[in-house]
Amino acid sequence: MGNLKIPPGKAHCVKPVSDKTIPFSGKKTSTLYLLNQAGRRVDKVEVDGCAITDAVCCDWAVELDDHFSHEEIFIELKGSHITHAISQIEATVVRLSSNPAQTRKRCLVVFNRDTVSRAWFQRQQRRFQRDYNADLDRLRNGSSHPL
């Protein structure tokens, strides 16, 4: 693996995992569980405060790169500020993605309280698909999501 552009000296922010359930939690915010039923080896990257310390960024990134697929997943755990979460994910995609326009991506916003309209979020989904080849989804706190 290792296609994400992790800054030099930040390899300690990347942890290979193959657990069936991979937890992601934030400081006083939300929790997400990625379900890894096949036990695939993935790289779990702590982005905020580790891989990136000098700019706006999302909380976590995951890289899958095996004979099944090559995909990047960007995760922001939020209480309610979904608009800010999307800008954090976008900044991280631009900075860390191996190829922001081409590599397949999933961007996940996990929230406690939804604060945006469905129409606004759908516009963001279309923009992310067009600009970043990314599926943008929002999930409730405590959700499980398949790899």
Side-chain angles (χ1 to χ4, degrees), residues 32-49:
L32 172 70
Y33 302 95
L34 287 183
L35 303 178
N36 184 14
Q37 297 306 324
R40 295 172 67 184
R41 183 193 169 280
V42 302
D43 282 341
K44 178 179 177 180
V45 182
E46 184 179 356
V47 178
D48 192 11

Side-chain angles (χ1 to χ4, degrees), residues 70-141:
H70 175 73
E71 182 178 18
E72 299 166 350
I73 302 171
F74 296 90
I75 301 166
E76 176 59 26
L77 306 168
K78 270 294 181 229
S80 60
H81 300 289
I82 293 174
T83 55
H84 184 59
I86 289 174
S87 65
Q88 290 175 277
I89 288 175
E90 188 168 16
T92 309
V93 166
V94 169
R95 186 159 175 180
L96 294 186
S97 179
S98 60
N99 186 334
Q102 298 298 318
T103 302
R104 184 170 175 236
K105 286 173 273 317
R106 278 187 275 169
C107 300
L108 306 174
V109 176
V110 182
F111 64 91
N112 285 320
R113 191 169 54 102
D114 197 351
T115 57
V116 297
S117 73
R118 171 182 259 177
W120 182 87
F121 195 79
Q122 287 173 337
R123 285 191 302 275
Q124 299 308 308
Q125 288 176 307
R126 287 189 299 273
R127 185 174 66 81
F128 266 66
Q129 189 62 56
R130 178 190 70 226
D131 296 348
Y132 303 113
N133 190 28
D135 294 327
L136 175 65
D137 289 311
R138 55 185 172 176
L139 304 166
R140 290 211 172 270
N141 179 27

